[in-house]
Every structure is written in C-alpha cells, then in structure tokens.
Amino acid sequence: HVQLVESGGGSVQAGGSLRLSCVASTPGYGCMGWFRSTPESGREMVAFISPRGGEAYYSDSVKGRFTTSHDSSKSTTALEMKNLKPEDTAIYQCAADFGLCFLSIAGRQVLRSASDFLYLAQGTQVTVS
C-alpha cells in the first residue's frame, strides 16, 4: 500500500517562507509533482521534478519563488516556497507516478495533469495573509 505523507503546511505572512515535504513509502518514482487547489481556481500545477534526472518544471506563477527537490535516499520530495503571496493560499498536494513527467499526446510532450498521476496525497493547507 503506497503512501504519500505530507508535512510543512501552515500560516505565514506575505513575503514569508514555508517548506513542504512529501515522503513516499516506496522509492523509484519517475515523476513527483506538486499541485494546489482553491475553491475559486480549482487545481493547478505548481512544480514537477524528475527524481532520476533532477529536471524540475514550474508554473509561471511560482517560477523564481518556489523550488522543488528530491532526496532519493529518503524518498522525500520538498517544495521550498519563498516570497509567499496571498494568492499562494491553497491546499497543496504532492503526487507520484512511476512514469515520466511528460506524456506524449498527439505528437506533443505534455506535462502530466493531476489525474494522470498514480498517487495523490491528501493535501496540506498553506495560508498566506
């Protein structure tokens, strides 16, 4: 039974920092992702990382402020969030899949959506005021 256990959410003032961690009960994933959800905007991609190669991808809204990393020895993926803004307030979920971060669809390389991931964590609340 695979588990993704998140930690690190909480409340912070604008301009502050938070670090989220996602520990997987099994190793060997090809892609780890971070998503966030609000009632107003729905779910959006935040960041992906390929644990094997280390390549990381970010949404434009967080690029330059958020950094994701992976420690294979601990099966842990982290999301370092800096210069947080009120619009970053959301429930953050990590996701895992044994496949690659990109899917080949109609001849194009497309990043996985949340529904394309095998496992999606329950989520942790991040509130920025």
Side-chain angles (χ1 to χ4, degrees):
H1 177 63
V2 175
Q3 282 187 317
L4 298 176
V5 180
E6 293 184 48
S7 62
S11 297
V12 66
Q13 290 189 335
S17 300
L18 281 174
R19 185 176 188 273
L20 305 182
S21 290
C22 176
V23 180
S25 59
T26 59
Y29 292 110
C31 185
M32 299 294 297
W34 292 95
F35 294 87
R36 65 186 182 187
S37 301
T38 64
E40 298 80 16
S41 302
R43 182 182 286 141
E44 65 168 334
M45 171 268 193
V46 175
F48 285 9
I49 186 166
S50 172
R52 296 164 190 157
E55 299 89 358
Y57 315 93
Y58 301 93
S59 68
D60 289 341
S61 60
V62 307
K63 200 172 294 182
R65 300 188 297 121
F66 290 13
T67 303
T68 187
S69 59
H70 182 78
D71 185 340
S72 295
S73 67
K74 300 177 182 178
S75 294
T76 298
T77 304
L79 183 67
E80 195 79 40
M81 305 182 292
K82 297 182 179 180
N83 190 22
L84 282 160
K85 304 175 181 180
E87 52 263 42
D88 294 318
T89 295
I91 295 175
Y92 285 71
Q93 295 173 285
C94 68
D97 198 278
F98 291 105
L100 302 177
C101 288
F102 283 92
L103 299 177
S104 182
I105 298 176
R108 295 171 55 237
Q109 295 295 303
V110 179
L111 280 170
R112 288 179 179 272
S113 66
S115 60
D116 292 324
F117 277 86
L118 194 57
Y119 304 109
L120 193 64
Q122 188 170 358
T124 186
Q125 178 70 46
V126 170
T127 302
V128 185
S129 58

